[in-house]
Amino acid sequence: MALTRWLDRFRALAAQAPGLAEDTVTLAPARGAIRPSHHLVFGCMVHGEECGPLPGVVAALEALAHGALRTSAHVTAFVGNAAAGLADARFLESDLNREFGESSSDTHEGRRARALTPVLAQATLFVDLHQTIQPAAEPFWIMPFHVQGALWARALDAAKVWMTRAPDAQFSASGACADELVRRLGRPGITLELGQKGFGHGAEMRAERVIRRALELVEALDVGATLRALAAERPEPAYFETLHAVPFDRDDYALRPGLVNFQRVTRGERLSADNAPEVLAPVDGALLFPKYPPRDARGAYQQPLPAELVRLVAPMSRHPLDAYGLRATVES
Ligand SMILES: [Zn+2]
C-alpha cells in the first residue's frame, strides 16, 4: 500500500529528527544560517484519508535533511492522523480538526489534538494541507480572513481563490481547527485544499511546491525583505464567500453526476439529477462541497446525511479589509 511506504519514509525522518509529538519531524536550520527567525509548521493528514500531500512533504523534508535544500528556519511537519489514514477513514472516533479547542474529547483524535498543541504553538507560520472529498477545479485556500495570513497566502501563491469569512470572533471552547489554534496564538494559520483526496490528484507536487516557496520567503525575510513587499509580487487571491447552502433535508435529493468544487455555475442552472427534486443554482457563482453520500443495496443513502447538499459561493463584492472593517489596521 502506497500510504504505508510514505509513512515509513516520514517516520524514518521522525526517528532522526523527532518533533514534540509522535509522527512529527523537526529539522534545525542549516549550520551557519542567520539567527533563525521563523519556525514553519506544515500539517498533513489531519483528516486521515487526505494522504495526497504526504509524498510532497516527505520529498521536501528529505531534501532538507540531506542538505539538497537549505533554510534558515526551523521546519516542522506532522502527519495528523496516521491511524485513520491507514484505515482509509477521515477519523476514527471524532474529527481531529474539531478537537483543538480548550475542551477536547476523550477520543483518539482528542488525545492527538492535545499532543499536537505544543507543535502548533511553535509556529510562526502554520500551513495545513488538506484535500476535498470530490475533485476540485483548482486548489483553494479556506479559512476566516486574517491580515497576516492574507499576506502569507498571497506570497505563497499556491491558490488563486480563497473561501473566506469574517475573522475568528472568539475562539471556540470546543470544535476548533488546527489553523484556528495558531491564529488564536496571534500567528498566521492557513489552510490549503489541494484537490481530491488520495494520491495521484496533484497534491504531492503542490504540497512540495508550497513548502519550497515558504522556505524561499523566509530566506528573503531573513535578509531584510518585508512580507508586504513579497506578497505584492504575486497576484492577490480572489476572495469568495458563501452565499447559499442547500440543506440536505430530503432523502430523495441527488446532485447531477460530476459536480466538483469551484465549478462555475450560472443562476437557474439545474444542479439536481434527472430523477431527483429540482435544485437550481440560486445565483451566479461556484459550487463548494457537492455531496454524493454512499447508498445501500436498495439505493437508500447511508445515514446520517451530511448537513448540506452543496454550497453556492461567489466572489466578495468588497475587499475583506473593507467588508470586515480592517482597512485602518493595515494603513495606520
Ligand atoms: Zn481535510
Side-chain angles (χ1 to χ4, degrees), residues 123-138:
T124 56
L125 170 70
F126 170 55
V127 183
D128 208 3
L129 303 168
H130 284 249
Q131 292 176 294
T132 46
I133 297 171
Q134 297 300 324
E138 56 189 306

Side-chain angles (χ1 to χ4, degrees), residues 55 66 70 103 126 156 163 166-167 180 206 253 270 274 289 325:
H66 302 152
R70 287 170 57 88
S103 57
F126 170 55
L156 287 168
M163 259 316 299
E180 188 180 354
R206 289 176 182 139
Y253 267 157
R270 188 177 168 114
D274 287 342
F289 305 139

Side-chain angles (χ1 to χ4, degrees), residues 117-207:
T117 293
V119 177
L120 291 165
Q122 302 168 288
T124 56
L125 170 70
F126 170 55
V127 183
D128 208 3
L129 303 168
H130 284 249
Q131 292 176 294
T132 46
I133 297 171
Q134 297 300 324
E138 56 189 306
F140 58 97
W141 298 104
I142 184 163
M143 58 272 181
F145 188 75
H146 184 273
V147 170
Q148 281 293 110
L151 294 176
W152 276 106
R154 180 172 177 176
L156 287 168
D157 197 11
K160 294 183 171 62
V161 288
W162 175 346
M163 259 316 299
T164 198
R165 55 187 190 275
D168 307 294
Q170 57 183 48
F171 187 64
S172 21
S174 60
C177 305
D179 64 352
E180 188 180 354
L181 171 65
V182 175
R183 291 193 300 275
R184 184 202 186 198
L185 298 171
R187 321 242 180 75
I190 58 182
T191 293
L192 185 58
E193 296 280 0
L194 293 168
Q196 189 175 22
K197 68 183 182 181
F199 296 122
H201 303 296
E204 299 87 340
M205 174 264 295
R206 289 176 182 139

Side-chain angles (χ1 to χ4, degrees), residues 46-47 50 90 97 130-131 193:
V46 164
H47 293 130
E50 298 170 11
R90 188 172 175 84
N97 218 19
H130 284 249
Q131 292 176 294
E193 296 280 0

